[in-house]
Amino acid sequence: MRWWKVVGLAGLVGVAATGAVIAREERRRRAYTPDEIRERLHARLAKTAPGREGSAPGNRSTRQ
């Protein structure tokens, strides 16, 4: 076998493996319901900004 055939075959296997990983991650991401996503986002927000419930980081108003 010539070296370029081996390189081409390795590239093809790499592309297939990458596609499989992306497909698995996409299935895992789409498995959440909108309510589950909302709950997880609220939990993350509460963890990062415990004293600022209901406001997102970076959305500070200049008026007081």
Side-chain angles (χ1 to χ4, degrees), residues 4 7 21 30 36 50 54 57 60:
W4 55 271
V7 170
V21 169
R30 290 181 185 254
E36 289 173 329
R60 295 183 182 165

Side-chain angles (χ1 to χ4, degrees), residues 6-43:
V6 174
V7 170
L9 186 59
L12 185 62
V13 169
V15 168
T18 302
V21 169
I22 290 172
R24 182 177 51 207
E25 291 297 319
E26 185 69 16
R27 281 194 309 271
R28 187 182 306 167
R29 185 181 68 82
R30 290 181 185 254
Y32 293 118
T33 65
D35 291 332
E36 289 173 329
I37 294 171
R38 189 175 302 111
E39 289 172 13
R40 289 173 60 121
L41 288 173
H42 283 293

